[in-house]
Amino acid sequence: GVALGEGLVAPLWPGEDLPGAVPARLAEFARGRSAARAALRALGVAEAAIPMRADRSPAWPEGVTGSISHCAGACLAIAARQADVIGLGLDLEPNAPLDPDLWPVILRAEERNLDPLAVFVAKEAAYKAQYAVTGALFDFQTLSVIFAGDGFTAVFRQPVGSFAAGDRLHGHLLRTDRHTAALCAIRPGNQSPP
């Protein structure tokens, strides 16, 4: 029930404005919107403009939720019908060591023996998925991540919106020779207590 789209170099559609953006950022934004429309096509939904909301999140068409991620060398988007999935999160990063200065910001004490890049993308994906549900902003310390094979569980360490401390979101990690990606999908009733 989740469709994937790859971003291509394409013009923005009417309503997909990014005022004041430098050319490189505008091109990145346009590729993201192209990826979002490709995900809509793959889902069997009519292509539409994906404007940016005031909070800078994508405004998906009615009845659709999704997520866009881009980094050096890649731009992907995922989309699903809200009847099946209430929140989606995708993060994609190049396989490069994460700056050790960021480790204390991203890693909780119990995560210090884990791969910092894997923790980062998993938390980003879980954050994006929950944001579609709660609209809540929080820092990396709010979630802790547990890996099991190519899957992960993101555990809320404090209440956020409709999520209680201990609620869990589930996702998948994918590594290629060039990128590390994480996907988190929240289905109705998908979060679970500890």
Side-chain angles (χ1 to χ4, degrees), residues 4-121:
L4 176 69
E6 182 178 7
L8 305 173
V9 176
L12 290 171
W13 284 26
E16 295 177 341
D17 302 318
L18 191 61
V22 297
R25 173 65 182 118
L26 193 57
E28 181 180 78
F29 183 81
R31 281 190 71 203
R33 279 5 194 213
S34 167
R37 284 190 292 280
L40 290 175
R41 272 194 316 274
L43 189 61
V45 173
E47 290 182 73
I50 312 291
M52 184 172 59
R53 292 189 173 110
D55 65 3
R56 304 186 58 82
S57 68
W60 293 90
E62 186 71 29
V64 174
T65 188
S67 183
I68 302 169
S69 187
H70 40 74
C71 67
C75 180
L76 300 173
I78 53 176
R81 297 178 194 281
Q82 286 180 321
D84 301 321
V85 178
I86 58 175
L88 275 176
L90 172 68
D91 194 54
L92 175 69
E93 298 294 333
N95 284 337
L98 202 60
D99 182 345
D101 290 342
L102 296 175
W103 294 5
V105 174
I106 296 164
L107 302 174
R108 292 175 55 90
E110 65 270 22
E111 299 166 332
R112 297 232 165 90
N113 62 337
L114 301 176
D115 174 10
L117 181 61
V119 173
F120 177 76
V121 297

Side-chain angles (χ1 to χ4, degrees), residues 136 138 142 156-167:
F138 57 76
T142 302
F156 285 89
R157 294 303 177 192
Q158 62 191 49
V160 175
S162 58
F163 296 99
D167 279 353

Side-chain angles (χ1 to χ4, degrees), residues 76 91-92 95 121 150 172-176 179-183:
L76 300 173
D91 194 54
L92 175 69
N95 284 337
V121 297
D150 65 352
H172 296 279
L173 192 69
L174 173 70
R175 293 179 190 264
T176 69
H179 296 94
T180 297
L183 164 69

